[in-house]
Amino acid sequence: MQANLFQTIRQTAYSAASQSGTVDRTRISNSVGYLLPQDLGGVYGQVAVSFGDENASNSGASKARKYVGGNLGYRSGPLNVGIGYGKMNGTAAVTSPSAIAATSDLEDLVLGASYNFGSFVLNGGYNSLKWEPANGTTSGKVDGFYLGTTIPVGPGSLRIKYASAKFSGNATALTRSGGKSDKYSVGYVYDFSKRTSLYAGVARVSNKNGASTGLIGGPAGVANTGSTGLDLGISHSF
């Protein structure tokens, strides 16, 4: 429930709004990448390129899921800042193979920063997601920001986050233009050990002007309607 509001929007855009059939656009296949070495004075980053899906019928579907992107950041002491960008190509819906019908080009930009003040960690960022179908219709954009903090409390940490997103353009794939979604969440992570934690959280999403964002793991959002969710579980790192 404490996932960034943009994760819900991105998940929707990379699935129902941007494809049909069984193409998984959250997975980058046929790709190569390069990671920067770890001894660059705090600078880190990587780049990845995907050559898209293969299609012997020459129907144009080979451009589906063609991807280029990467990230660059700087970490020094309590400060960590970074930027990430990616673009995944779509193509006009095709009949051969019928599974490849990803119609939208998706362009994703993320900026983020965090600072550890000792008694708490403050983090925030900006997100932008644009989609433009190959046939030139139903293009849209959503811009948003988030602000959060992690506060050590007892054997665990209290986590509080606020996020907001606004839609523009002909964004009927997700919501109509002018829609706005806000999310508030608070949670606590109790650390049993370095590898095992118990977590609990509650989140609330509100929608205005036609926005219909829901919660990850919950039912689809309803336009102009809010939703509340409770999260409880245990995490173990192997």
Side-chain angles (χ1 to χ4, degrees):
M1 296 299 176
Q2 283 225 298
N4 188 354
L5 176 67
F6 239 75
Q7 289 179 241
T8 309
I9 296 171
R10 186 178 289 110
Q11 178 176 301
T12 304
Y14 272 67
S15 55
S18 310
Q19 69 177 53
S20 61
T22 59
V23 176
D24 178 10
R25 293 191 58 170
T26 61
R27 177 185 174 93
I28 303 174
S29 302
N30 302 324
S31 64
V32 294
Y34 173 76
L35 278 72
L36 290 176
Q38 298 182 359
D39 54 352
L40 295 179
V43 176
Y44 61 90
Q46 67 181 85
V47 63
V49 177
S50 170
F51 303 102
D53 293 315
E54 297 181 3
N55 177 31
S57 66
N58 296 319
S59 63
S62 61
K63 295 180 181 179
R65 293 196 298 180
K66 186 176 181 181
Y67 173 86
V68 59
N71 64 73
L72 184 65
Y74 175 72
R75 183 186 296 109
S76 178
L79 176 66
N80 189 358
V81 296
I83 179 173
Y85 171 83
K87 182 176 181 180
M88 185 177 290
N89 285 2
T91 185
V94 296
T95 58
S96 177
S98 59
I100 300 179
T103 61
S104 295
D105 292 342
L106 294 171
E107 194 171 359
D108 211 339
L109 175 67
V110 179
L111 304 172
S114 67
Y115 194 91
N116 190 339
F117 289 89
S119 57
F120 67 97
V121 176
L122 185 66
N123 60 80
Y126 164 81
N127 294 263
S128 173
L129 178 66
K130 296 190 291 184
W131 56 95
E132 184 174 356
N135 58 15
T137 61
T138 323
S139 61
K141 182 182 180 184
V142 56
D143 296 280
F145 72 92
Y146 68 92
L147 184 65
T149 184
T150 300
I151 306 170
V153 177
S157 58
L158 178 68
R159 303 182 182 186
I160 304 170
K161 183 177 290 183
Y162 166 71
S164 181
K166 188 172 183 180
F167 300 83
S168 60
N170 186 11
T172 55
L174 290 172
T175 183
R176 68 186 184 188
S177 181
K180 186 175 184 292
S181 299
D182 296 284
K183 180 179 180 180
Y184 308 83
S185 63
V186 59
Y188 184 76
V189 178
Y190 183 93
D191 297 319
F192 289 108
S193 66
K194 292 182 178 180
R195 299 170 57 189
T196 305
S197 301
L198 179 68
Y199 60 88
V202 61
R204 171 72 179 175
V205 170
S206 61
N207 294 298
K208 301 177 182 178
N209 301 327
S212 57
T213 307
L215 291 166
I216 286 183
V222 178
N224 303 318
T225 301
S227 57
T228 302
L230 177 65
D231 208 12
L232 179 64
I234 189 167
S235 174
H236 181 77
S237 300
F238 293 93

